[in-house]
Amino acid sequence: MKYNIALIPGDGIGPDIVREACRALDAVGLRFGHAFVYTEVLAGGAAIDSTGHPLPEETLETCKKADAVLLGAVGGPKWDTLPGSLRPEKALLGLRGGMQVYANLRPALMLKQLADACPLKPEVIGDGLDILIIRELTGGIYFGDRGRSDDNRSAWDTEAYSWDEIARIIKIGFESALKRKKRLCVVDKANILETSRLWREVAESMKHNYPEVVLSYMYVDNAAMQLVRNPGQFDVIATSNMFGDILSDEASQITGSIGMLASASLGDSGPGLYEPIHGSAPDIAGQDKANPLATILSCAMMLRYSFNLEKEAWTIERAVERVLDDGWRTGDIAGTSVGSLGDKLVGTTKMGDLIVDAIGKV
Ligand code: IPM
Ligand code: MG
């Protein structure tokens, strides 16, 4: 079968990691008889440099027509002084909004091979970490009305949510929980925010459809604390755009490195958008130092969610584990090999070679 993938390498380490992710996909294609056809498009700083706009119309059109989209990372100091509407990050929001991928799935899974990279004490982390954060992605304060007063001495951003925008996230929350440990925690700030109170109302109105799932609520400030105090209490977290942005970075650190975490952004129909949750790390761009595993694991999510290729997704995930089992590490996860193996420090390309090799064997 042939799959059309729109590729947005983006800025900084984006091209480095996307290159390795495509090699991993091609290795899967070779092994299982699929063809992945890539169409590269511009977004972020690279697009600003060549077209003057962070998200050219052509990019969005190509992405909407693809079977799935793979994105590296966007942004960098070069474009930091541009006005808000012209910053590279605007491309991300434009893509998410334009593709209508409203649900952002961010699994924070601590691999046992990287347990030493976890900053929490062993008695706190217990059996490890396996949380799925479902972040609302096309609404809330990141998409709300914003502006400045005429005298430029005040500014505002607005959080707004409709019942339907919330319900489609809560539904995914319940359905994901059913496939996991059957616990859904809605994270909000319902002691202050009216939108949060609506999130709770929506969740309450839906819970009778999922009697097997234990539904709970937690204020976001408490959740930030509980994540480092007792992370094992969480299974699935459903939350707003901003709270999900913040909590997913926190959760990633508990797993050892933000360089390991994948994400999938999904809508009702149409292509999904897959990207690592980390940024463009301009300081190490083009130096063969970046960890490509988060992007490679994002491809596994693509195979699973967009193409329904479970065996192929599993193969990528096992290949990553096998390479880590053998002690291979990029710089961000160095110093974590267990036992007598010792780390074998490698760069981006070599890590890609190892994954390609393992995909053929696992
Ligand atoms: C993320 C990033 C983006 C976001 C930024 C770069 C706009 O932090 O994907 O989490 O806030 O969504
Ligand atoms: Mg973020």
Side-chain angles (χ1 to χ4, degrees), residues 100-104 135-138 168-169 172 266-268:
Q100 306 238 9
V101 285
Y102 55 78
N104 183 216
R135 167 186 177 192
E136 197 290 325
L137 202 62
T138 54
R168 59 194 186 181
I169 298 300
I172 296 175
L266 309 172
D268 282 327

Side-chain angles (χ1 to χ4, degrees), residues 80-149:
D80 272 351
T81 48
L82 291 170
S85 62
L86 285 177
R87 285 180 61 109
E89 290 81 356
K90 192 75 191 162
L92 272 187
L93 273 80
L95 265 176
R96 293 166 179 172
M99 291 174 65
Q100 306 238 9
V101 285
Y102 55 78
N104 183 216
L105 274 47
R106 297 191 161 188
L109 176 68
M110 191 178 89
L111 297 177
K112 64 178 187 318
Q113 294 86 346
L114 299 183
D116 277 0
C118 172
L120 302 183
K121 290 183 190 149
E123 61 267 31
V124 173
I125 192 71
D127 295 337
L129 181 84
D130 185 0
I131 297 176
L132 175 63
I133 297 181
I134 302 173
R135 167 186 177 192
E136 197 290 325
L137 202 62
T138 54
I141 197 164
Y142 290 11
F143 282 82
D145 179 46
R146 75 186 87 250
R148 295 259 180 145
S149 60

Side-chain angles (χ1 to χ4, degrees), residues 217-240:
Y217 304 99
M218 195 179 281
Y219 299 144
V220 64
D221 44 357
N222 186 24
M225 179 177 74
Q226 295 296 336
L227 265 174
V228 288
R229 195 186 149 265
N230 176 17
Q233 71 186 284
F234 296 107
D235 178 22
V236 178
I237 289 176
T239 191
S240 65

Side-chain angles (χ1 to χ4, degrees), residues 88-214:
E89 290 81 356
K90 192 75 191 162
L92 272 187
L93 273 80
L95 265 176
R96 293 166 179 172
M99 291 174 65
Q100 306 238 9
V101 285
Y102 55 78
N104 183 216
L105 274 47
R106 297 191 161 188
L109 176 68
M110 191 178 89
L111 297 177
K112 64 178 187 318
Q113 294 86 346
L114 299 183
D116 277 0
C118 172
L120 302 183
K121 290 183 190 149
E123 61 267 31
V124 173
I125 192 71
D127 295 337
L129 181 84
D130 185 0
I131 297 176
L132 175 63
I133 297 181
I134 302 173
R135 167 186 177 192
E136 197 290 325
L137 202 62
T138 54
I141 197 164
Y142 290 11
F143 282 82
D145 179 46
R146 75 186 87 250
R148 295 259 180 145
S149 60
D150 289 342
D151 67 1
N152 222 11
R153 291 183 61 79
S154 58
W156 65 91
D157 298 279
T158 323
E159 173 93 343
Y161 271 114
S162 70
W163 184 285
D164 293 350
E165 279 177 313
I166 300 166
R168 59 194 186 181
I169 298 300
I170 300 288
K171 180 164 183 267
I172 296 175
F174 275 119
E175 283 168 3
S176 306
L178 273 178
K179 292 188 208 136
R180 297 171 45 103
K181 290 180 233 142
K182 303 192 171 48
R183 296 201 303 266
L184 172 64
C185 181
V186 173
V187 170
D188 59 32
K189 189 71 186 169
N191 48 349
I192 305 283
L193 302 177
E194 198 53 41
T195 43
S196 291
R197 293 193 266 269
L198 188 62
W199 273 74
R200 288 196 181 199
E201 238 174 276
V202 173
E204 278 300 302
S205 80
M206 294 170 73
K207 73 176 183 195
H208 66 274
N209 295 322
Y210 307 92
E212 286 165 70
V213 177
V214 178

